[in-house]
Amino acid sequence: MEFVEEFTDEERLKIEQDFSRLADKCYLDHAGTALYGESQLRAVQELLAGGLYCNPHTSRTMEDLIDLVRYRVLRWFQARPADYSLVFTSGTTASLKLVAESFEFGPGGAEPGSFVYLRDSHTSVLGMRELVRTGRVQPIERAELLQALNEPEDPRRHHPPRPSLLVFPAQCNFNGAKYPLELCELIERNGLRGYGGDAFHVCLDAASHVSTSPLDLSRYRPSFVCLSFYKIFGYPTGLGALLVRRDAEPLLHGKRYYGGGTVKIALSGPDRFHERRDALADRLEDGTINFLSIAALLPCLEALTRLIPGATMDRIQRHTFQLARHCYRELQALQHANGGRVVDLYHDTAFGDARTQGAIVNFNVLNDDGGHVGFAEVACMAANHGIYLRTGCFCNPGACQRHLRLADDDLLRHYRAGHVCGDANDLIDGQPTGSVRVSFGYCTRRSDVDRLVTMVRRCYVRRSLTGPLSRADVLAQYKSYDRPRLVQLCLYPVKSCGPLRVTAGGWPLAPTGLLYDRAFLIVDEHGAAMTQKKLPTMCRIRPEIADGRLVLRHADLEDEPLTIELEGDGEAGEPAAAHLCQTKVCRDSVQGVDCGERAADWVSRALGVSGLRLLRQSGQEPRRQRQTDRALSLNNQAQLLLVNRTSVRWLRDKVGDGDWDGADAPSLDALVDRFRGNLIVETVRPLEESDWRRVLVGPSQFSVDGPCTRCQMICIDQATGERTAEPLRTISREFGGRMRFGVYLSLAGDWADRELPLGATVSGVIEESE
């Protein structure tokens, strides 16, 4: 089926102008959040700047405005105030939690009703199990839920039946499969097979569905609907709603806590007497609601309908479905040279109809031998191509388990192996722990889909019939020619900037590794640390250290070097007038000393970004390595990184001259630079360092903290800042999806007053496990 453009040329131009910040970016995580448009933000600013908006407990005008927003939101979903109440919450999760703690499963003393939830649900639904006041809690599988489409009314239902609650999503956030909304009426009327004594009320998790699809509550009328507004408009965040069908309101009397203006009267004495307000929203909206964000919904609704006039959500659904179907079919068609699939797609539909499938494509990449490529590597490669996507299990363990064919025992085994939700531990014993998700919105272009498919084709389609080598194969290709030795020392005084290469003698050790290594960092105007992932040209800042001074140079400021005093051994305390700043490095809160206005101006001009600051790590709050409690500078995970030049030479041979995105293959030295190691060694054979547990460099001893997991940083040419797909994709291919190259080291034994001498003999100690 041909791709048919939903929007007119004029509409497309307006959308592109509203999202000009996407010009060179490819955003494919609309299921994570929609993006706000520039005209939308301007309209919000004009509204807030043009009026006086008080606490609604103070201002009747503000109360009226909030009521107007309730009416407009209900109208957006084709609901009448006579049929539905709207309770503002902080989002879908809070709405689900409110239902869980409020729903009455029956009168006291009687057998309570059931809480049934679709297994392929978000963790926010799973968390409801901990709050519902019934012991009759049961998951239901997808196939079992869909059977309700053909089930007659159960004649065994008790009269009066027990109030029960069924929760399922209108659209699966894992892969976009839509559930027939007819289920709401059928199940509330006929019940569920096996629950003859239960009168079910449906709680619909609509968060994923409403982001790109219409929801007509005049046609489909669940008892409860939970949603978040940022999924639709991108802004405001932290605001959602619980929509409650009027006849289901009496079931939400179980909530015990009250706060703010939700009561008519409350006595402060020990008898705890209080009387709740009558209207549902007045009773359930504890404290002062997020009234400015609620007011902002008006211009958000209006801006989207102006941008895409006429049946806005229907048109968005058609546009995004076509993009998803195009993506699905293009990925499905990719093949390796041996005929094997390149992509494993995790779907319940074949993208035949927008009524059954949303704008989400979920997949994993496969090697030509059928083994999986880890999702963390795909995320790194995507970032290297300017593509924003999502990886993991997307807070939906049930769907993830079903599609990845993981049993509960598998998940527990992965957890015991160190994997937790949200980490980059993507493959355990070759088994994926998650997947890759791309999702589309109304501002997504067809060229964005093509950019993703081109990245997968260029980086992962195997065009020859060779496979990955084992380490034994690798080692067999090399013969011994010399003893291992330390051939180069590099330190990086400013984190993520160029190296200082030690060309003669050696370099002193410090409690954190090499003296002055990663002692400084550059932060943006908000205090966030800058790295080459954000700004690749940081590599063009070149450091020198001489006579107790750090000198920074840049080709565009050749006549204006920046000089900073290092205060002797670098361990001195800060001057009394020093300005301390907070930032983060690898999830650690770090205190830094601002180097002043001259340094800030220099780094801003050198990198072409306004508002940058140069900080030096403060000695007042030393950073510690979590596992070992060793002192750390501003490096990522360990004190030192060892890279084997022989291993890099082997890797360069594997990449080949024609795989560098049309450019000449880098020299061996240039490729070694990309790995940003501190200790560059040369061994007898490649990959020997992978077996080392301790390392001796001359008289100095180091412990091995583990392999270095690589990211897109190694795809940045450290001379120019230009990006390539290599060598990351070859590392993944040759090592079966594992992106490990180089090893982390930490100081061991006596290091005081020592320096590492260039040319020193290197001994790797292998300790066999017992």
Side-chain angles (χ1 to χ4, degrees):
M1 187 178 293
E2 289 293 324
F3 185 95
V4 179
E5 180 58 61
E6 173 64 32
F7 304 136
T8 66
D9 290 344
E10 182 181 358
E11 288 169 343
R12 172 51 62 191
L13 179 60
K14 287 182 179 179
I15 292 171
E16 289 180 356
Q17 291 172 342
D18 221 30
F19 293 91
S20 58
R21 64 189 186 277
L22 291 179
D24 61 341
K25 298 178 178 66
C26 178
Y27 180 77
L28 299 179
D29 187 29
H30 289 269
T33 181
L35 296 180
Y36 52 80
E38 294 174 20
S39 63
Q40 174 187 342
L41 287 190
R42 285 195 298 269
V44 170
Q45 183 182 21
E46 289 171 5
L47 172 76
L48 297 181
L52 179 62
Y53 298 100
C54 306
N55 189 310
H57 297 146
T58 303
S59 168
R60 180 64 190 176
T61 301
M62 193 68 213
E63 281 190 27
D64 292 342
L65 180 60
I66 289 171
D67 287 339
L68 174 63
V69 177
R70 291 188 208 274
Y71 171 74
R72 292 283 181 84
V73 171
L74 288 173
R75 191 171 67 180
W76 183 265
F77 298 113
Q78 307 299 314
R80 299 186 309 158
D83 297 328
Y84 276 91
S85 297
L86 188 149
V87 179
F88 284 113
T89 68
S90 64
T92 303
T93 296
S95 298
L96 291 165
K97 180 174 180 284
L98 187 57
V99 173
E101 63 186 353
S102 302
F103 190 85
E104 293 277 14
F105 287 87
E111 184 180 9
S114 301
F115 174 67
V116 180
Y117 61 95
L118 183 70
R119 187 159 183 171
D120 291 10
S121 287
H122 195 277
T123 52
S124 298
V125 173
L126 304 186
M128 296 174 75
R129 299 176 299 184
E130 308 304 312
L131 289 178
V132 293
R133 285 188 292 277
T134 177
R136 304 177 69 219
V137 177
Q138 187 68 31
I140 188 171
E141 301 291 343
R142 170 183 165 83
E144 187 180 359
L145 177 64
L146 294 177
Q147 285 177 3
L149 290 170
N150 303 310
E151 290 291 335
E153 183 174 0
D154 192 336
R156 298 171 299 168
R157 294 178 72 183
H158 296 179
H159 295 284
R162 297 180 294 262
S164 296
L165 188 64
L166 168 68
V167 187
F168 68 89
Q171 174 178 296
C172 178
N173 74 308
F174 181 85
N175 65 2
K178 292 181 178 179
Y179 288 85
L181 296 182
E182 295 87 348
L183 286 169
C184 299
E185 179 182 354
L186 289 171
I187 290 172
E188 293 202 359
R189 185 184 68 210
N190 300 336
L192 279 174
R193 173 176 287 189
Y195 297 88
D198 296 311
F200 276 98
H201 294 265
V202 170
C203 178
L204 189 69
D205 176 358
S208 182
H209 178 92
V210 297
S211 62
T212 55
S213 300
L215 178 62
D216 186 349
L217 293 180
S218 68
R219 182 178 179 187
Y220 307 108
R221 303 179 70 249
S223 294
F224 314 105
V225 181
C226 304
L227 56 92
S228 296
F229 292 108
Y230 76 95
K231 297 283 188 180
I232 309 171
F233 307 112
Y235 177 89
T237 57
L239 183 65
L242 169 63
L243 280 61
V244 181
R245 203 175 64 221
R246 290 287 185 177
D247 64 318
E249 287 187 13
L251 294 166
L252 297 185
H253 279 282
K255 182 172 177 287
R256 299 179 63 183
Y257 177 83
Y258 64 88
T262 56
V263 290
K264 300 175 183 178
I265 182 175
L267 299 183
S268 58
D271 59 358
R272 300 182 296 181
F273 177 80
H274 64 278
E275 189 73 31
R276 294 180 185 271
R277 293 192 180 273
D278 299 321
L280 187 71
D282 293 342
R283 197 165 69 239
L284 295 182
E285 291 174 349
D286 292 316
T288 300
I289 56 178
N290 193 349
F291 59 93
L292 291 182
S293 290
I294 292 170
L297 284 177
L298 283 178
C300 292
L301 290 161
E302 293 163 359
L304 187 54
T305 52
R306 279 198 306 268
L307 205 58
I308 305 172
T312 299
M313 293 309 299
D314 294 276
R315 299 186 67 200
I316 290 174
Q317 177 177 248
R318 288 193 294 268
H319 172 71
T320 56
F321 172 72
Q322 287 193 89
L323 291 170
R325 180 174 58 192
H326 174 58
C327 180
Y328 175 84
R329 292 177 177 175
E330 289 293 305
L331 291 175
Q332 189 180 47
L334 295 177
Q335 287 188 332
H336 290 293
N338 62 6
R341 290 176 298 140
V342 176
V343 168
D344 199 359
L345 289 153
Y346 303 123
H347 281 277
D348 297 300
T349 79
F351 283 76
D353 193 331
R355 292 171 296 181
T356 61
Q357 177 63 51
I360 296 174
V361 178
N362 195 302
F363 64 94
N364 268 320
V365 176
L366 301 173
N367 290 309
D368 60 342
D369 63 357
H372 287 88
V373 176
F375 62 73
E377 190 226 322
V378 178
C380 286
M381 196 64 72
N384 196 40
H385 286 75
I387 299 172
Y388 296 73
L389 46 73
R390 188 81 170 267
T391 60
C393 270
F394 324 106
C395 298
N396 194 327
C400 189
Q401 277 186 262
R402 182 165 64 87
H403 286 283
L404 271 60
R405 298 176 288 279
L406 298 172
D408 287 349
D409 287 344
D410 292 321
L411 264 63
L412 291 171
R413 179 169 52 84
H414 294 170
Y415 177 69
R416 295 184 185 113
H419 170 58
V420 296
C421 293
D423 69 11
N425 200 347
D426 51 9
L427 292 174
I428 295 178
D429 298 330
Q431 194 174 41
T433 62
S435 58
V436 180
R437 185 186 74 183
V438 292
S439 50
F440 313 101
Y442 68 89
C443 61
T444 309
R445 304 152 292 198
R446 181 173 176 174
S447 59
D448 293 328
V449 177
D450 295 337
R451 185 168 171 179
L452 170 75
V453 175
T454 298
M455 183 273 290
V456 174
R457 180 185 296 113
R458 189 161 61 90
C459 296
Y460 296 109
V461 174
R462 193 77 164 190
R463 295 180 176 82
S464 65
L465 296 177
T466 58
L469 295 178
S470 67
R471 287 198 66 247
D473 294 330
V474 173
L475 297 177
Q477 298 180 19
Y478 289 79
K479 295 182 179 180
S480 177
Y481 62 89
D482 198 356
R483 295 190 64 187
R485 62 190 187 279
L486 180 66
V487 296
Q488 192 176 76
L489 281 169
C490 292
L491 58 147
Y492 305 84
V494 183
K495 183 177 177 64
S496 227
C497 291
L500 187 160
R501 295 184 180 85
V502 180
T503 57
W507 194 262
L509 292 170
T512 56
L514 294 179
L515 184 62
Y516 304 130
D517 184 43
R518 276 92 172 184
F520 296 81
L521 83 163
I522 297 170
V523 300
D524 66 13
E525 59 185 341
H526 306 294
M530 299 292 290
T531 71
Q532 287 188 34
K533 294 178 185 178
K534 299 177 185 177
L535 199 60
T537 54
M538 290 178 70
C539 64
R540 298 182 63 200
I541 292 179
R542 300 290 168 173
E544 301 171 5
I545 291 179
D547 301 324
R549 295 182 177 89
L550 170 66
V551 180
L552 301 181
R553 301 185 185 276
H554 190 279
D556 296 341
L557 301 172
E558 194 61 45
D559 297 331
E560 299 180 62
L562 176 66
T563 301
I564 299 171
E565 296 290 336
L566 290 174
E567 300 174 353
D569 62 1
E571 297 296 314
E574 287 74 43
H579 178 58
L580 297 178
C581 306
Q582 289 292 130
T583 186
K584 289 187 73 174
V585 173
C586 288
R587 300 185 181 181
D588 291 339
S589 179
V590 174
Q591 191 174 74
V593 181
D594 195 299
C595 293
E597 296 301 326
R598 181 170 173 271
D601 176 69
W602 191 92
V603 295
S604 295
R605 287 188 294 128
L607 297 175
V609 178
S610 62
L612 300 181
R613 311 291 300 185
L614 182 66
L615 306 184
R616 182 176 184 178
Q617 185 180 17
S618 169
Q620 293 184 9
E621 293 184 7
R623 185 171 169 236
R624 316 296 297 189
Q625 194 176 27
R626 288 188 177 90
Q627 293 83 358
T628 65
D629 199 43
R630 294 187 178 99
L632 287 178
S633 59
L634 300 174
N635 38 24
N636 284 355
Q637 290 182 261
Q639 294 178 330
L640 298 157
L641 175 63
L642 180 147
V643 172
N644 186 353
R645 185 179 171 88
T646 309
S647 300
V648 177
R649 182 185 296 111
W650 166 83
L651 178 64
R652 188 187 61 169
D653 293 342
K654 287 296 170 188
V655 174
D657 292 339
D659 291 336
W660 292 97
D661 301 334
D664 293 335
S667 67
L668 180 59
D669 288 337
L671 190 55
V672 169
D673 285 348
R674 293 191 180 206
F675 293 93
R676 298 179 63 81
N678 298 114
L679 280 64
I680 313 302
V681 304
E682 196 152 24
T683 65
V684 174
R685 294 178 297 183
L687 309 183
E688 287 188 41
E689 68 278 11
S690 300
D691 293 328
W692 294 348
R693 297 296 174 265
R694 288 185 294 119
V695 177
L696 299 175
V697 181
S700 300
Q701 182 173 260
F702 303 87
S703 60
V704 175
D705 293 340
C708 177
T709 299
R710 291 299 179 173
C711 65
Q712 66 265 32
M713 284 276 286
I714 63 173
C715 296
I716 299 173
D717 185 323
Q718 293 297 299
T720 65
E722 295 177 355
R723 298 179 187 269
T724 61
E726 292 293 359
L728 189 65
R729 63 182 176 187
T730 295
I731 290 175
S732 176
R733 283 175 174 170
E734 296 300 328
F735 297 107
R738 295 184 302 275
M739 297 182 296
R740 296 173 176 177
F741 203 87
V743 293
Y744 287 124
L745 304 180
S746 290
L747 297 167
D750 183 17
W751 55 266
D753 300 322
R754 285 188 179 174
E755 69 173 35
L756 291 180
L758 282 174
T761 299
V762 175
S763 301
V765 179
I766 301 174
E767 297 177 350
E768 298 292 340
S769 59
E770 296 180 0

